[in-house]
Coordinates of all heavy atoms in Angstrom, one line a residue:
Q234 N 21.7 -9.3 97.3 CA 21.1 -8.3 98.1 C 20.0 -8.8 99.0 O 19.8 -8.3 100.1 CB 20.5 -7.2 97.1 CG 19.9 -6.0 97.8 CD 19.5 -4.9 96.9 OE1 20.4 -4.2 96.4 NE2 18.3 -4.8 96.6
S235 N 19.4 -9.9 98.6 CA 18.3 -10.5 99.5 C 18.9 -10.9 100.8 O 18.2 -10.8 101.9 CB 17.7 -11.7 98.8 OG 18.6 -12.8 98.6
A236 N 20.1 -11.4 100.9 CA 20.7 -11.7 102.2 C 20.9 -10.5 103.1 O 20.6 -10.5 104.3 CB 22.0 -12.4 102.0
F237 N 21.4 -9.4 102.5 CA 21.6 -8.2 103.3 C 20.2 -7.6 103.6 O 20.1 -7.0 104.7 CB 22.4 -7.2 102.5 CG 23.9 -7.6 102.4 CD1 24.4 -8.1 101.2 CD2 24.7 -7.5 103.5 CE1 25.8 -8.5 101.2 CE2 26.1 -7.8 103.5 CZ 26.6 -8.3 102.3
L238 N 19.3 -7.7 102.7 CA 18.0 -7.1 103.0 C 17.3 -7.8 104.1 O 16.7 -7.2 105.0 CB 17.1 -7.2 101.7 CG 15.8 -6.5 101.7 CD1 15.5 -5.8 100.3 CD2 14.7 -7.5 101.9
G239 N 17.3 -9.2 104.1 CA 16.7 -9.9 105.2 C 17.4 -9.6 106.5 O 16.7 -9.5 107.6
T240 N 18.7 -9.4 106.5 CA 19.4 -9.0 107.8 C 19.0 -7.6 108.2 O 18.8 -7.4 109.5 CB 20.9 -9.1 107.5 OG1 21.3 -10.4 107.0 CG2 21.7 -8.8 108.8
A241 N 18.8 -6.7 107.3 CA 18.3 -5.4 107.7 C 16.9 -5.4 108.3 O 16.6 -4.7 109.3 CB 18.3 -4.5 106.5
I242 N 16.1 -6.3 107.8 CA 14.7 -6.4 108.4 C 14.8 -7.0 109.8 O 14.1 -6.5 110.7 CB 13.8 -7.3 107.5 CG1 13.6 -6.6 106.2 CG2 12.6 -7.7 108.2 CD1 12.8 -7.5 105.1
A243 N 15.7 -8.0 110.0 CA 15.9 -8.5 111.3 C 16.5 -7.5 112.3 O 16.1 -7.4 113.4 CB 16.9 -9.7 111.2
E244 N 17.3 -6.6 111.8 CA 17.9 -5.6 112.7 C 16.8 -4.6 113.1 O 16.8 -4.1 114.2 CB 19.0 -4.8 111.9 CG 20.3 -5.7 111.8 CD 21.3 -5.0 110.9 OE1 20.9 -4.2 110.0 OE2 22.5 -5.3 111.0
Y245 N 15.9 -4.3 112.2 CA 14.8 -3.4 112.6 C 14.0 -4.0 113.7 O 13.7 -3.3 114.7 CB 13.8 -3.2 111.3 CG 12.5 -2.6 111.8 CD1 12.4 -1.2 112.1 CD2 11.4 -3.4 111.9 CE1 11.2 -0.7 112.5 CE2 10.1 -2.9 112.2 CZ 10.1 -1.5 112.6 OH 8.8 -1.0 113.0
F246 N 13.6 -5.2 113.6 CA 12.8 -5.8 114.7 C 13.6 -6.0 116.0 O 13.1 -5.8 117.1 CB 12.2 -7.2 114.3 CG 11.1 -7.1 113.3 CD1 11.3 -7.4 112.0 CD2 9.8 -6.7 113.8 CE1 10.2 -7.3 111.1 CE2 8.8 -6.6 112.9 CZ 9.0 -6.9 111.5
R247 N 14.9 -6.3 115.8 CA 15.8 -6.3 117.0 C 15.9 -5.0 117.7 O 15.8 -4.9 119.0 CB 17.2 -6.7 116.5 CG 18.3 -6.7 117.7 CD 19.7 -6.6 117.1 NE 19.8 -5.2 116.5 CZ 20.9 -4.9 115.7 NH1 21.8 -5.8 115.5 NH2 20.9 -3.7 115.2
D248 N 15.9 -3.9 117.0 CA 16.0 -2.6 117.6 C 14.6 -2.2 118.2 O 14.6 -1.2 119.0 CB 16.4 -1.5 116.6 CG 17.8 -1.7 116.1 OD1 18.6 -2.4 116.8 OD2 18.2 -1.2 115.0
Q249 N 13.6 -2.9 118.0 CA 12.3 -2.7 118.6 C 12.3 -3.5 120.0 O 11.2 -3.5 120.6 CB 11.2 -3.2 117.7 CG 11.1 -2.5 116.4 CD 11.0 -1.0 116.4 OE1 10.2 -0.5 117.1 NE2 11.9 -0.3 115.7
G250 N 13.4 -4.1 120.3 CA 13.4 -4.9 121.6 C 13.0 -6.3 121.5 O 12.8 -7.0 122.5
K251 N 12.9 -6.9 120.3 CA 12.4 -8.2 120.1 C 13.6 -9.2 119.9 O 14.7 -8.8 119.5 CB 11.5 -8.3 118.9 CG 10.3 -7.4 119.0 CD 9.4 -7.6 117.8 CE 8.1 -6.7 117.9 NZ 7.3 -7.0 119.1
D252 N 13.3 -10.5 120.2 CA 14.3 -11.5 120.0 C 13.9 -12.1 118.6 O 12.8 -12.7 118.4 CB 14.2 -12.6 121.0 CG 14.7 -12.1 122.4 OD1 15.7 -11.4 122.4 OD2 14.0 -12.4 123.4
V253 N 14.8 -12.0 117.6 CA 14.6 -12.3 116.2 C 15.3 -13.6 115.9 O 16.5 -13.8 116.3 CB 15.0 -11.2 115.3 CG1 14.7 -11.6 113.9 CG2 14.4 -9.9 115.7

Side-chain angles (χ1 to χ4, degrees):
Q234 184 170 287
S235 64
F237 288 105
L238 187 139
T240 305
I242 293 174
E244 288 172 335
Y245 164 75
F246 286 107
R247 177 203 63 193
D248 292 341
Q249 305 303 308
K251 299 184 183 298
D252 293 318
V253 183

